[in-house]
């Protein structure tokens, strides 16, 4: 997937983000069926066999920080979102992943030192509060010291669902993280 994106977009300003970036950094154990690509121009999505390449328009100045990496099978280098920014994208973006996937990425990233806590906290200061709330809730359950640092980023406005795609009618309110616990387990 990264090789295809790199070759298609050679010479353009783009960043592969989301689950594809997390997979590249080995933070999740599967290849996604949708590859999110932040691009500084508008482009329709493309389906290639079983993968959808979703092009998300972002002004060039707002492209997330990325690393240029070599990818097997590609003639061009790929631009992949830094792990912290890829995690923020899948936890707070319009295309948020399930908390099971985010929890796996957070656990692996911290354990394998792919995610840098200080850099993650700094990036979360400029992200939607939902990202800090969901990651803080997860970090607390994983008994990681990151949770304590994220408490200052929770804010006071309303509550956000842990899973943005599920109903919140019977969800328990977590007052510390200001999240609606609408997930199983």
């Amino acid at each position: 997937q990264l090789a295809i994106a790199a070759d298609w977009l050679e010479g353009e300003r783009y960043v592969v983000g989301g689950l594809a970036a997390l997979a590249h950094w080995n933070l999740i154990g599967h290849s996604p069926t949708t590859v999110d690509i932040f691009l500084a121009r508008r482009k329709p999505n493309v389906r290639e066999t079983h993968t959808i390449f979703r092009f998300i328009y972002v002004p060039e100045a707002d492209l997330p920080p990325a690393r240029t990496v070599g990818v097997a099978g590609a003639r061009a280098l790929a631009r992949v979102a830094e792990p912290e920014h890829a995690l923020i994208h899948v936890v707070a973006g319009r295309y948020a992943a399930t908390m099971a996937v985010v929890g796996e990425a957070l656990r692996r990233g911290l354990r394998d030192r792919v995610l840098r806590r200080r850099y993650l906290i700094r990036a979360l200061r400029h992200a939607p509060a939902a990202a800090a709330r969901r990651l803080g809730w997860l970090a607390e359950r994983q008994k990681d010291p990151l949770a304590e640092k994220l408490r200052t980023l929770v804010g006071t406005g309303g509550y956000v669902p842990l899973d943005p795609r599920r109903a919140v009618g019977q969800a328990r309110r977590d007052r510390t993280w200001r999240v609606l616990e609408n997930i199983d387990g």
Side-chain angles (χ1 to χ4, degrees):
Q1 295 166 330
L2 287 180
I4 291 169
D7 288 347
W8 279 349
L9 299 169
E10 184 176 13
E12 291 201 53
R13 294 279 298 150
Y14 74 94
V15 175
V16 174
L19 294 175
L22 292 180
H24 172 75
W25 300 118
N26 197 30
L27 298 182
I28 58 175
H30 64 281
S31 294
T33 56
T34 302
V35 176
D36 289 338
I37 302 171
F38 300 102
L39 187 62
R41 68 177 173 89
R42 300 196 188 284
K43 179 175 176 54
N45 298 339
V46 175
R47 178 179 288 279
E48 179 74 24
T49 62
H50 299 292
T51 302
I52 296 172
F53 291 86
R54 184 169 42 203
F55 295 96
I56 302 167
Y57 170 73
V58 176
E60 190 167 336
D62 295 336
L63 285 171
R67 296 185 197 164
T68 303
V69 298
V71 180
R75 71 175 184 279
L77 296 173
R79 294 185 40 79
V80 181
E82 292 182 347
E84 296 82 5
H85 289 274
L87 183 63
I88 290 169
H89 175 238
V90 301
V91 79
R94 188 167 99 193
Y95 307 108
T98 65
M99 291 309 284
V101 170
V102 174
E104 175 188 0
L106 181 63
R107 188 173 25 265
R108 279 186 180 198
L110 294 174
R111 179 194 67 210
D112 298 343
R113 297 182 182 181
V114 174
L115 292 171
R116 301 161 293 178
R117 283 180 178 85
R118 293 171 91 188
Y119 190 65
L120 180 59
I121 293 164
R122 191 173 338 141
L124 283 165
R125 285 191 180 112
H126 305 288
R133 291 174 182 191
R134 290 179 181 136
L135 286 175
W137 185 90
L138 276 170
E140 184 175 81
R141 270 128 196 91
Q142 293 178 8
K143 298 182 178 17
D144 191 278
L146 177 66
E148 192 60 39
K149 303 282 188 193
L150 295 182
R151 278 203 174 94
T152 61
L153 304 177
V154 169
T156 57
Y159 285 80
V160 297
L162 284 175
D163 186 337
R165 293 170 292 208
R166 294 182 68 184
V168 296
Q170 301 299 318
R172 187 178 85 76
R173 291 176 187 254
D174 182 303
R175 295 176 195 261
T176 301
W177 296 105
R178 302 188 66 80
V179 296
L180 300 171
E181 295 178 338
N182 65 335
I183 60 174
D184 300 325

